[in-house]
Amino acid sequence: MNPTSRHGLRFQDLAYRFGWRSLFTLMARMLMILSFLTILACRGQDKSDPAKMESNASQTPLPGPQRAAAAAKRVRPALEKDLAGKDLHFGDPVFIRAFKEEGQLELWVRHRPSGKFVLFRTYPIAAASGQLGPKLAEGDFQVPEGFYFVPRSRLHPASTYHLAFNIGYPNAYDRHHGRSGSFIMVHGNRVSIGCLAMTDEKIEEIYTLCDAALANSQKFFRVHLFPFRMTDDRLAKARNDRWFEFWKNLKEGYDYFEQKRLPPDVTVRNGRYEFE
């Protein structure tokens, strides 16, 4: 049975009518337009009437600041209770790690008595496009890998994708290696073309904890993105991968945190990440 278009034309008929080259050119342009529209949406700068914006998790359309405040009101009581159960406090500094292969995002909170970070929650990532390996260019649909940070200016409560924050790609390492791209977010709404997408329910918790930490005393929070959990065994399985040397460098930062439970200060020297 031959596939048909919505108007009943077979794919072969369309190709005959317009020519194979023209048809594939049209399809490529449509894909580029879709990518461009998604990038605009991820900017979180929707100029439309707020009443027409996508509704949030409670189906109440709100402008950005009011949306974030409503989300915090919903989730803060349960968060404070769960934090207290781990001797943690709402508004204290946070740290985020994400693993593409496992599809997990971890949120860590600094423990006051020890000064070290404690794992608060591990969230399932609802959607992440691309494959293992770093983001190289605008429109390649890849989720970045590396070490990023988020100050308050990169929070986007008015995102088309409910609530969001920009991780700051490209960083100094990415720029050194000629990588391009923009508006890479962690956001809600389960849709991803290069971003990490969470459910609206989960992004409300993540965003609220990050917003509270930044409002309290944290100047920025770090976001570390890895292809997989950087154990010795898992990295050894990737020894023949084109990104093996890059991943070995990422593992240095991963190991630093695993040993100290403190996110390292990250610099770039001679095209490599360095940690202290």
Side-chain angles (χ1 to χ4, degrees):
M1 185 173 181
N2 291 322
T4 61
S5 72
R6 63 183 295 184
H7 298 296
L9 290 176
R10 295 181 304 172
F11 183 80
Q12 292 92 334
D13 294 335
L14 291 170
Y16 178 79
R17 177 175 297 183
F18 298 105
W20 287 100
R21 181 173 299 178
S22 297
L23 183 60
F24 285 128
T25 299
L26 177 62
M27 292 173 65
R29 288 177 178 174
M30 291 175 65
L31 186 61
M32 290 177 63
I33 291 172
L34 176 61
S35 175
F36 178 71
L37 291 175
T38 302
I39 291 170
L40 287 180
C42 281
R43 292 186 183 192
Q45 297 175 346
D46 196 329
K47 303 298 184 181
S48 62
D49 183 347
K52 297 179 181 179
M53 292 173 63
E54 179 185 352
S55 62
N56 65 9
S58 66
Q59 302 302 311
T60 304
L62 292 170
Q66 295 176 24
R67 188 187 315 172
K73 184 177 180 179
R74 279 192 293 274
V75 303
R76 179 168 178 170
L79 286 174
E80 288 185 327
K81 179 180 178 181
D82 293 344
L83 285 163
K86 294 190 175 185
D87 194 22
L88 302 172
H89 297 79
F90 184 84
D92 280 359
V94 298
F95 164 60
I96 287 176
R97 293 197 308 184
F99 304 94
K100 291 161 67 171
E101 185 170 75
E102 291 81 2
Q104 295 178 333
L105 182 147
E106 297 177 344
L107 193 145
W108 299 68
V109 179
R110 194 170 69 190
H111 183 236
R112 289 183 182 179
S114 69
K116 297 182 182 297
F117 281 79
V118 172
L119 179 61
F120 174 57
R121 279 196 183 147
T122 301
Y123 296 94
I125 296 170
S129 60
Q131 56 193 352
L132 299 186
K135 182 174 183 61
L136 301 179
E138 186 86 75
D140 65 4
F141 301 165
Q142 281 288 99
V143 174
E145 295 169 7
F147 304 93
Y148 302 91
F149 68 93
V150 181
R152 173 163 290 281
S153 61
R154 291 186 187 147
L155 297 183
H156 290 277
S159 170
T160 301
Y161 295 147
H162 192 35
L163 298 168
F165 55 83
N166 187 327
I167 69 166
Y169 176 92
N171 63 16
Y173 181 99
D174 300 316
R175 292 192 296 272
H176 177 90
H177 290 276
R179 299 174 183 176
S180 63
S182 57
F183 303 104
I184 302 300
M185 305 276 183
V186 176
H187 59 63
N189 205 27
R190 298 173 177 262
V191 179
S192 170
I193 300 184
C195 298
L196 289 180
M198 316 300 292
T199 64
D200 284 359
E201 177 187 11
K202 301 307 182 187
I203 196 61
E204 286 193 354
E205 290 190 3
I206 296 165
Y207 185 96
T208 296
L209 288 166
C210 294
D211 186 26
L214 293 174
N216 192 4
S217 60
Q218 194 171 17
K219 293 182 179 179
F220 59 85
F221 62 89
R222 292 177 171 87
V223 179
H224 292 183
L225 304 180
F226 297 103
F228 40 75
R229 292 193 178 274
M230 310 295 287
T231 63
D232 292 337
D233 289 344
R234 179 60 185 89
L235 186 62
K237 292 178 181 179
R239 66 175 61 91
N240 295 322
D241 195 285
R242 64 177 291 201
W243 298 115
F244 181 66
E245 291 300 322
F246 170 63
W247 290 339
K248 281 175 60 179
N249 190 198
L250 295 188
K251 190 177 187 307
E252 296 175 38
Y254 175 90
D255 288 344
Y256 186 105
F257 181 76
E258 286 292 296
Q259 295 163 11
K260 300 179 182 293
R261 286 295 187 255
L262 294 171
D265 289 329
V266 182
T267 57
V268 177
R269 185 174 300 172
N270 299 323
R272 296 185 78 259
Y273 285 118
E274 294 192 353
F275 310 94
E276 58 181 336

